[in-house]
Amino acid sequence: MTDTQIRVLGTSDNERTASDLPTPRRSRSRYPRRPSWVRPFLKHLLLLGTGLLMLYPVLWLVVSSLRPTDEIFRNPGLVIGSFEISNYTDGWTTLSHPFSMFLLNSTLVVLGCIVGNLVSCSMAAYAFARLKFSGKKWWFVIMLTTIMLPIHVIIVPQYILFSQLGWVNTFIPLILPKVLATDAFFVFLMVQFIRGIPRELDEAARLDGCGHPRIFAQVILPLMTPALATTAIFTFIWTWNDFFSQLLYLTKPEMYTVPLALRAFMDATSSTSWGPLFAMSVVSLIPIFLIFLFGQRFLIAGISTTGGK
Amino acid sequence: MTGKRHARKAIGLVAIASAAVLALSACAGGGATSGPAALSDEPVTLRFTWWGNDVRTANTEAVIAAFEAEHPNITIEPQYADWNGYWDKLATETAANDSPDIIQMDEKYISTYGGRGALLDLNDTGDLLDLSDFSKSSLDLGTAEGALYGIPVGLTTYAVMVNPTVLESAGVTLPDDKSWTWDDLEKAGAAVSAAGAGNVFGVQSWGFEEGGLNNWARQHDDALYNDAGDVVIKADTLTSWWEYMLELSESGVSPAASATTERQNAGLAESFLATNSAGFATGWASQLTALQDASGSPLELLQIPTSADAASDSAYFKPSMYWSVSARTAHPAEAAVFLDYLVNSEEAATLLGTDRGVPANDAIRSYLEPTLPESGKSVVAFLDSLTDVVGEAPPLTPAGGSAIEAIVKRYTEQVLFKQATPAEAAQGFIRDLKAAIAAG
Amino acid sequence: MAGLASDYDMSALGELRTLGQKKIAGGSKEKKENKAAYLFLLPWFLGLSVITGGPMLASLYLSLTKYNLLQPPEFIGLGNFARMLTDERLHNSLGVTFTYVFVSVPIQLAMGLALAVLLNRGLRGLSFYRSVFYLPSLLGSSVAIAVLWKQVFGTNGLMNDFLGLFGIAGHGWISDPATALSTLITLNVWTFGAPMIIFLAGLRQVPAMYLEAAKVDGASRWQTFVKITLPLLSPIIFFNLVLQIIHAFQSFTQAFIISGGNGGPADSTLFYTLYLYNRGFANFDMGYASAMAWFLLVIIGVFTAINFWASKYWVFYDD
């Protein structure tokens, strides 16, 4: 993991030049009162300090994944005596299927959910943000209401529904809800973003004779890249970490996803294999971390780069 | 907006909702099977579920493979989860009439599932399942209202675990557990704490599950439940239990409350005993191996202390877990054959070891004993030494009583943190447990 | 349901005002775009009617029953709601939840916004910093978080090491009822990455021209931030506020993992949903859990309605 960390550092530095090009010069030249390096230096100091503090648990996780299980809780702190790779090799192979299978399953679920959310939520959001239709306010209220009820009382009726459709132990119960825009969080998020896009832009397109599908696809969607990226990143992470619904709907071990596999190292009634658990936690963090590093490029590709109105 | 469209939508929603509700009711109800079922020659698939860690998963899957080799037409589909997730999933599946065929069951839940028609009466499986190597008393542990809802997998008992190394360095001699009392434990613990200078304590606090409470109640001629499943424990019994615990905590024999809670939440491997920072701890004998692995030093089992006027026969055997079969299984005969293999086959016993406790099957226990590691042998020897002392097992946890562990834990925390006096905790405990059983 | 609808009335009116009063540049048309709208909403309608609506109504029905998951539900009218009135643990869990919502949401949002502004542009290594500050959010609901958090707030954790430097004796912050909730609030603040990301994305929507213009006019950084950035960002701030409040009221996973599922020590971290879950699943009291869930829905609904009502005074839409 230390290797990865360093590599990650490298990538992000390269990426910076690309992402921050649009507004390179202004911030320093405007304020000549102090030497030009003081402000950035202080900022770096502050950011590095807080960042390190915030990362302590993460670093501890990485370090502990390299310790033998019985040493993990005997020596606290970040100083590492041994460099135990066996947690990684054990963790990868000790469950009934290699860990790569769980990673693959999680990836499939995640991809399905991302595509589903991007398509269906952006469509619904366009309707709520831009179209006039009957009962709009009530539908909006209903949409928000659907995320106000705790999942624990919905999950049993929902399970019965999917079970009667014969969909238990498939990925359908995990992906279909996203394809059908049940994640009101993202609909609302996109509504807010679309409402931030100047209306003159779609009016211009309308005057050019574009219908709603084309305005949506050719004007709105490109302008809401940050919101789409946010949705994709969040969907990725939430689905990647989601435990409860995956626990209920996936029964065969060959269908298990990462969160289920990680819990397979635990047993509250006897002992937990912390070493392999930490090692595989680190492994499962790498994809989301990389996705984020890569994804932020889209997150910050806002309309400011095109100049707005 | 037309009202009509609203109405149509609403009707649609109501229709779907009522379908879901109908499904809720359709799936419940009594078991459908009757009489011994016949084996099929057709391919049969059984779903088998358990909770546990990766070690258990590996050895259970090995047993499945061995069984499938012997019975080519039966496929066993494994399904495993951690303890919490396991019960959530099982409840949901049972609600949807979709539960696995073979279920690893716990004492706290067996009446809940069995009494509500979710489990098969294993007496009905005829001679496909041979239980002749089980003592009647151990089968009684899985019986409620005459129906055998689960076969005990392993046996365990509540005991004191001691770290002789810690005692030795504190200059404390190992007490004689045939005659010792709670006062002896406190004195020995105080000596260890005194020598430990704040790093090593005499007695690890307990009171986070019902085992210790059950034992205490039995010593005081009391019991948590009567045979009808009502809560009958007296407030005085509970009060004295918590008073003793509080005394240990206040006098420094046990660690401070916050340290206790922290270690308790962290699990076995981080307990004071497992980290060589306590001389004594109470717990289930079956946990000895896990604790010993974590601590890296040998541990020993002692009988629970008594008080001078204690009732005899207060110790009891508890099943570590059960094998149960879903009442709605389509293949009760094949399920019985698989259970028969799990509990009677020497091959299975070799593969499973004592991961699920010392086997309750007498023949298998003697078969397995010579092959066990030292810690396993001492657990078997300890259980054997108790055979003459143990009394009849307490009544099973009644339906809805699975909340007891959380209730005990909560009031113990309140007592240790001095948010409630032992007497208040006793009142609250009885009230909450009664409410839980009435509601569940 | 009727009472519920009227709770929303205010917010709906506010919504209507902001949505409905917009003048469209090409001349105002009152023509509805029903067909297009319903087409765009088709997936959502399907999802609502099957996947969310049905189970929600089912749970509403279950709230009027005694339902132990294993046997058919038994209709008992408002019995569950009556029991809620005298349930002390429920009242305690409401207290815990309200404290959590009103302390952690403002801090988390303020942190998220501050860091988003700081990490928006004009500094080297930004994407590295963004990742660093986002990393905790990835771990926030991992099974390992219980152990990790103990490395910070446990008896042998970082916090006590730090206090030790000043000679202050520490204690187990997570395992003491007096401080356990604060550690969970800190945990939530620690995962400010999620709102930060949304703020970052929102900041990118602020047209650079406005900022340029403000600079040309000689506005200070702070003035630019308050007069230009904040108003333009207000829809996103509003979104984060509404959603973080909804999420915080339903907060479950972190308390579940850290307290081992029961909201301890001594109920000090017993969040409302954690209690609800324990009633429903651990205690097979799903009817009561459903009643609790619908009560929570009303509470969240009221707060959301207030939020929407207040939004017309401070949220600025460009459309």
Side-chain angles (χ1 to χ4, degrees):
Chain A
M1 182 59 195
T2 13
D3 288 12
T4 334
Q5 286 284 22
I6 291 163
R7 206 162 4 96
V8 157
L9 267 167
T11 350
S12 61
D13 268 348
N14 296 338
E15 204 179 291
R16 177 198 58 79
T17 36
S19 58
D20 295 328
L21 262 179
T23 53
R25 281 149 285 125
R26 285 171 287 124
S27 51
R28 274 167 234 157
S29 55
R30 282 282 159 193
Y31 296 89
R33 283 167 291 219
R34 266 170 293 185
S36 62
W37 58 269
V38 169
R39 184 181 275 272
F41 177 78
L42 288 177
K43 267 192 181 179
H44 279 293
L45 210 64
L46 181 74
L47 288 173
L48 270 179
T50 2
L52 262 179
L53 200 66
M54 284 188 59
L55 278 193
Y56 178 82
V58 184
L59 297 176
W60 188 87
L61 175 75
V62 176
V63 167
S64 296
S65 74
L66 296 165
R67 284 176 175 151
T69 293
D70 53 353
E71 267 182 37
I72 289 177
F73 297 109
R74 289 188 205 156
N75 349 325
L78 291 180
V79 183
I80 188 163
S82 61
F83 202 78
E84 195 76 42
I85 294 298
S86 68
N87 284 330
Y88 285 84
T89 50
D90 287 355
W92 193 272
T93 53
T94 190
L95 299 176
S96 52
H97 300 272
F99 208 81
S100 53
M101 173 167 262
F102 307 127
L103 289 168
L104 177 71
N105 286 337
S106 271
T107 310
L108 290 176
V109 174
V110 161
L111 287 180
C113 290
I114 290 181
V115 172
N117 264 347
L118 285 181
V119 174
S120 65
C121 294
S122 61
M123 284 169 63
Y126 180 74
F128 279 120
R130 282 295 200 252
L131 301 178
K132 292 166 168 289
F133 58 98
S134 319
K136 174 162 161 173
K137 57 170 181 166
W138 289 112
W139 291 122
F140 194 78
V141 167
I142 290 175
M143 180 192 71
L144 275 187
T145 311
T146 59
I147 48 172
M148 294 179 192
L149 200 64
I151 179 189
H152 303 102
V153 298
I154 309 177
I155 198 102
V156 172
Q158 220 168 51
Y159 182 90
I160 293 172
L161 184 76
F162 283 123
S163 149
Q164 302 217 321
L165 291 166
W167 287 344
V168 169
N169 206 30
T170 68
F171 293 147
I172 301 176
L174 303 174
I175 296 175
L176 186 69
K178 314 288 175 186
V179 174
L180 297 182
T182 55
D183 227 331
F185 178 92
F186 297 114
V187 180
F188 188 23
L189 174 76
M190 292 187 194
V191 166
Q192 295 303 89
F193 269 88
I194 294 177
R195 294 183 68 179
I197 297 172
R199 218 179 243 273
E200 289 88 336
L201 294 175
D202 34 326
E203 273 315 308
R206 183 172 306 191
L207 291 177
D208 289 348
C210 292
H212 286 296
R214 281 189 65 191
I215 298 178
F216 171 65
Q218 295 180 356
V219 178
I220 300 293
L221 275 189
L223 288 177
M224 57 187 286
T225 317
L228 296 176
T230 310
T231 303
I233 291 176
F234 279 30
T235 308
F236 191 111
I237 289 152
W238 289 349
T239 314
W240 192 260
N241 285 333
D242 172 41
F243 171 65
F244 206 56
S245 53
Q246 297 178 11
L247 166 82
L248 293 183
Y249 288 117
L250 304 177
T251 57
K252 289 188 196 172
E254 62 260 34
M255 301 288 285
Y256 279 13
T257 51
V258 170
L260 301 185
L262 287 180
R263 278 187 172 68
F265 291 109
M266 308 185 78
D267 184 9
T269 56
S270 64
S271 59
T272 294
S273 312
W274 288 112
L277 170 62
F278 289 163
M280 290 304 105
S281 295
V282 171
V283 167
S284 71
L285 270 182
I286 294 173
I288 23 183
F289 188 70
L290 290 181
I291 287 287
F292 181 71
L293 259 183
F294 172 75
Q296 16 172 312
R297 182 190 304 264
F298 298 100
L299 200 70
I300 52 184
I303 57 170
S304 55
T305 53
T306 61
K309 31 180 159 183
Chain B
M1 182 65 191
T2 63
K4 225 184 253 170
R5 195 172 285 160
H6 263 310
R8 225 180 293 150
K9 191 101 241 163
I11 289 170
L13 286 179
V14 169
I16 286 156
S18 20
V21 170
L22 277 180
L24 288 172
S25 21
C27 53
T33 47
S34 58
L39 281 173
S40 159
D41 295 329
E42 302 292 308
V44 165
T45 301
L46 296 172
R47 283 163 61 208
F48 172 27
T49 186
W50 68 88
W51 71 84
N53 59 8
D54 49 323
V55 178
R56 180 172 297 166
T57 298
N59 66 39
T60 312
E61 298 211 315
V63 168
I64 291 174
F67 175 80
E68 288 176 339
E70 267 185 43
H71 301 267
N73 71 320
I74 304 180
T75 309
I76 308 283
E77 273 181 9
Q79 176 184 317
Y80 49 81
D82 72 308
W83 170 266
N84 276 319
Y86 181 84
W87 295 107
D88 297 347
K89 181 163 178 153
L90 187 62
T92 309
E93 287 174 331
T94 310
N97 205 5
D98 187 26
S99 61
D101 302 277
I102 296 135
I103 301 165
Q104 183 173 311
M105 187 44 73
D106 182 78
E107 195 274 330
K108 282 192 289 296
Y109 289 90
I110 194 164
S111 299
T112 304
Y113 280 88
R116 287 161 183 176
L119 300 180
L120 192 69
D121 180 357
L122 295 172
N123 290 320
D124 289 347
T125 52
D127 50 8
L128 291 172
L129 174 56
D130 176 12
L131 296 173
S132 56
D133 287 330
F134 285 83
S135 66
K136 183 179 173 303
S137 64
S138 66
L139 288 181
D140 281 347
L141 297 170
T143 303
E145 289 155 10
L148 180 63
Y149 288 128
I151 311 169
V153 178
L155 289 182
T156 185
T157 189
Y158 208 72
V160 171
M161 284 169 260
V162 57
N163 188 330
T165 327
V166 168
L167 260 58
E168 206 173 299
S169 57
V172 176
T173 49
L174 200 64
D176 172 19
D177 67 337
K178 298 285 176 293
S179 59
W180 72 332
T181 63
W182 292 104
D183 285 342
D184 296 336
L185 175 66
E186 189 174 350
K187 274 184 208 122
V192 175
S193 280
N199 294 317
V200 180
F201 296 90
V203 186
Q204 177 182 318
S205 287
W206 65 99
F208 299 98
E209 34 97 31
E210 75 287 6
L213 178 55
N214 244 322
N215 248 295
W216 187 272
R218 289 161 66 92
Q219 292 191 3
H220 290 76
D221 247 337
D222 202 346
L224 273 170
Y225 316 104
N226 63 15
D227 286 329
D230 304 318
V231 180
V232 292
I233 191 164
K234 296 194 238 350
D236 286 352
T237 312
L238 289 159
T239 307
S240 64
W241 189 53
W242 273 310
E243 272 169 353
Y244 180 72
M245 229 179 289
L246 188 62
E247 189 181 312
L248 292 194
S249 171
E250 285 183 332
S251 61
V253 174
S254 296
S258 82
T260 294
T261 328
E262 180 174 309
R263 302 285 191 117
Q264 168 60 28
N265 278 344
L268 273 190
E270 284 186 74
S271 61
F272 285 95
L273 189 71
T275 50
N276 299 311
S277 34
F280 301 92
T282 55
W284 296 103
S286 45
Q287 295 169 334
L288 187 79
T289 310
L291 285 166
Q292 191 160 301
D293 289 350
S295 76
S297 53
L299 303 177
E300 281 180 32
L301 288 165
L302 300 177
Q303 288 183 33
I304 289 283
T306 54
S307 35
D309 55 347
S312 58
D313 298 352
S314 59
Y316 66 97
F317 287 144
K318 185 205 134 178
S320 55
M321 56 189 76
Y322 302 87
W323 297 126
S324 294
V325 173
S326 163
R328 285 141 203 150
T329 177
H331 309 288
E334 284 76 11
V337 170
F338 182 58
L339 284 200
D340 187 69
Y341 181 81
L342 281 178
V343 299
N344 289 323
S345 142
E346 294 181 346
E347 189 185 12
T350 309
L351 291 169
L352 292 172
T354 53
D355 174 62
R356 287 183 171 87
V358 174
N361 177 325
D362 296 332
I364 291 293
R365 186 164 64 238
S366 7
Y367 164 78
L368 208 55
E369 195 183 347
T371 68
L372 292 178
E374 277 313 309
S375 63
K377 276 185 189 149
S378 56
V379 176
V380 175
F382 181 71
L383 289 179
D384 284 346
S385 76
L386 283 183
T387 340
D388 301 329
V389 196
V390 289
E392 208 174 296
L396 291 178
T397 303
S402 52
I404 184 172
E405 193 164 310
I407 300 175
V408 175
K409 185 174 189 301
R410 178 153 41 89
Y411 281 109
T412 297
E413 284 166 356
Q414 290 193 3
V415 169
L416 292 180
F417 283 108
K418 307 226 171 74
Q419 294 184 342
T421 65
E424 287 162 359
Q427 299 296 342
F429 173 86
I430 293 173
R431 187 189 60 225
D432 286 4
L433 186 58
K434 280 184 174 161
I437 287 170
Chain C
M1 195 66 195
L4 233 159
S6 65
D7 286 332
Y8 285 110
D9 212 0
M10 279 193 308
S11 74
L13 282 177
E15 241 333 87
L16 188 66
R17 212 160 287 143
T18 33
L19 288 176
Q21 288 178 347
K22 300 296 162 201
K23 288 281 180 284
I24 293 169
S28 73
K29 3 172 200 171
E30 281 309 308
K31 207 183 83 193
K32 295 274 168 71
E33 297 153 305
N34 280 345
K35 217 175 116 190
Y38 291 143
L39 223 62
F40 273 99
L41 284 172
L42 188 65
W44 180 73
F45 276 133
L46 274 173
L48 176 70
S49 51
V50 182
I51 295 174
T52 40
M56 276 180 83
L57 292 185
S59 78
L60 184 60
Y61 168 71
L62 288 177
S63 72
L64 305 174
T65 66
K66 183 176 159 72
Y67 178 47
N68 64 19
L69 290 169
L70 308 178
Q71 288 165 314
E74 175 193 328
F75 188 82
I76 53 164
L78 295 174
N80 289 323
F81 292 95
R83 267 163 72 203
M84 284 167 59
L85 292 176
T86 55
D87 184 346
E88 281 171 26
R89 293 188 76 202
L90 183 140
H91 305 155
N92 167 56
S93 74
L94 274 175
V96 170
T97 308
F98 271 92
T99 313
Y100 178 78
V101 170
F102 289 112
V103 178
S104 82
V105 171
I107 302 181
Q108 197 203 29
L109 288 186
M111 289 278 285
L113 182 59
L115 266 296
V117 170
L118 212 54
L119 297 178
N120 186 25
R121 50 184 63 152
L123 204 66
R124 289 183 149 277
L126 275 183
S127 64
F128 166 69
Y129 285 129
R130 284 186 206 121
S131 307
V132 164
F133 287 108
Y134 194 58
L135 200 49
S137 307
L138 308 182
L139 264 179
S141 55
S142 146
V143 275
I145 194 67
V147 178
L148 298 187
W149 215 235
K150 214 168 54 205
Q151 299 312 312
V152 182
F153 290 110
T155 310
N156 300 317
L158 196 63
M159 181 76 178
N160 283 347
D161 291 349
F162 178 74
L163 291 178
L165 295 180
F166 304 97
I168 303 171
H171 68 303
W173 300 87
I174 300 174
S175 53
D176 186 330
T179 49
L181 183 58
S182 333
T183 66
L184 278 174
I185 290 173
T186 316
L187 177 56
N188 191 43
V189 172
W190 184 61
T191 59
F192 67 76
M196 177 188 85
I197 291 308
I198 298 175
F199 282 133
L200 262 175
L203 282 172
R204 288 295 159 147
Q205 265 202 339
V206 175
M209 274 171 65
Y210 288 2
L211 303 175
E212 290 287 358
K215 283 208 174 111
V216 171
D217 293 346
S220 75
R221 275 162 191 276
W222 179 249
Q223 283 172 327
T224 316
F225 178 70
V226 173
K227 301 276 185 205
I228 311 244
T229 311
L230 271 190
L232 287 174
L233 200 58
S234 62
I236 305 304
I237 300 176
F238 174 61
F239 167 84
N240 267 331
L241 186 68
V242 171
L243 264 298
Q244 291 303 326
I245 287 181
I246 294 180
H247 273 201
F249 268 116
Q250 298 185 8
S251 182
F252 173 80
T253 311
Q254 294 171 344
F256 177 84
I257 296 175
I258 290 201
S259 73
N262 52 41
D267 280 354
S268 57
T269 62
L270 187 72
F271 287 140
Y272 192 86
T273 24
L274 192 52
Y275 182 46
L276 177 160
Y277 156 86
N278 272 311
R279 288 309 286 250
F281 282 96
N283 204 11
F284 297 89
D285 200 358
M286 196 48 97
Y288 190 73
S290 302
M292 280 183 69
W294 279 86
F295 181 58
L296 182 67
L297 183 140
V298 172
I299 296 177
I300 298 179
V302 168
F303 277 94
T304 311
I306 294 173
N307 248 325
F308 268 89
W309 169 79
S311 76
K312 62 184 176 198
Y313 296 109
W314 65 276
V315 179
F316 171 77
Y317 289 105
D318 201 22
D319 59 359

